[in-house]
Amino acid sequence: MRIILISTPIGFLGSGKGGGVELTLNSLVSGLLSLGHSVEVIAPRNSKLYEGNEKAKLHFVEGENQISWQHQNYNSPITMPDNSVLAGMLEKALDISKEADVLLNMSYDWLPIWMTLNVDKPIAHIISMGSESLVISNLISKVYAKHPANFAFHSKIQADDYKFIKKPIIIGNGFKLDNYTFQDSVNGPLAWVGRVAPEKGLEDAVYIANKLGEKLNVWGVMEDEAYASKIEQSFPQGTIDWMGFLSTNELQKELGKCRVLLNTPKWNEAYGNVIVEALACGVPVAAYKRGGPSEIIQHGLTGYLADPDDKKNLLSYVEIIEKIKRKNCREWVEKNASADIFANKVVNWLNKVINEYK
Ligand code: UDP
């Protein structure tokens, strides 16, 4: 299959601004290449693909980023900056689409979804968020009525946000397991990984560290500094250890030393890459039973699921985290979320999409 992937218009690949989509795209490219498919990627200038993905041709597009939807109001209209990188990526995609079987869009935005109704080439969409915009949800509903096969979701609970979708196509997510080393560090520190932004609920994880009289190691892009300093001021100085944004390789080395990952989403997390990355290193996860984490974590086997927003309940699970066997965590990822398993699901789905156009 000849596939053209359209990256996120929020930031270049490697910036961290694109959140989980950056890693998902890279895992998918490596899975598709290893299955023998031809892959081209269209991404903002400065983007880098992971080592091993060199066989995928990378096309750079210059332009202004979109504003991420989780930081706009649900009812906001669509905005396009002058010299939009999203429009540029789509132009490029159409320009090189002649030989391709399918365009695979990984941006959560209006324009590529709208184009599905207006170009002959199949455009498939991996929807990476729950319903974060009325205009986009309404557009998905309209396009879905004509092309129901063209949309895939990471988790059932994410797809539930789109009430009009009766039988969602669920593809999960995948991770290149060679990139994660198992570590049996049962006495390590507490970890939290994510974009530092309100929808990620960092404050609840800091609460737990404080109650235990420990530090919380925090890795991720500092997206909202006002939010971060508000949390810092609400707890004793030094409770948070800001570790910055690391490459996957550096992150997994540090994460693997931790005894638990705390995951505290305040929104309907579509999937939660960081959970599976932790599990791949052997780190059990204590999370709120909300969004993707509630489907990924096997309660009592690979971690614990606490009642949403119930910090005390979450704390009680962190206190018994040593009951989880770290080997189970790694094993779950191997059996359920490798890059190859993910790429196979995506290929099966894309075949359906392409067949609908024949
Ligand atoms: N991440 C990273 N380095 C860091 C912290 C996070 O590369 O220091 C990446 C992590 O690998 C994951 C992404 O940031 O792929 C966060 O994705 P997730 O699905 O958890 O949440 P999102 O940001 O998409 O809401």
Side-chain angles (χ1 to χ4, degrees), residues 321-332:
I321 204 72
E322 73 281 357
K323 290 192 175 177
I324 302 293
K325 291 198 181 69
R326 291 173 75 99
K327 286 230 150 54
N328 289 345
C329 300
R330 172 77 186 196
E331 255 171 51
W332 184 89

Side-chain angles (χ1 to χ4, degrees), residues 145-160:
K146 197 165 173 218
H147 295 291
N150 290 36
F151 297 90
F153 300 83
H154 290 297
S155 65
K156 287 193 205 79
I157 201 154
Q158 173 208 359
D160 284 350

Side-chain angles (χ1 to χ4, degrees), residues 14-32:
S15 68
K17 287 186 180 167
V21 173
E22 296 186 22
L23 183 67
T24 304
L25 185 144
N26 266 291
S27 307
L28 185 55
V29 169
S30 68
L32 291 172

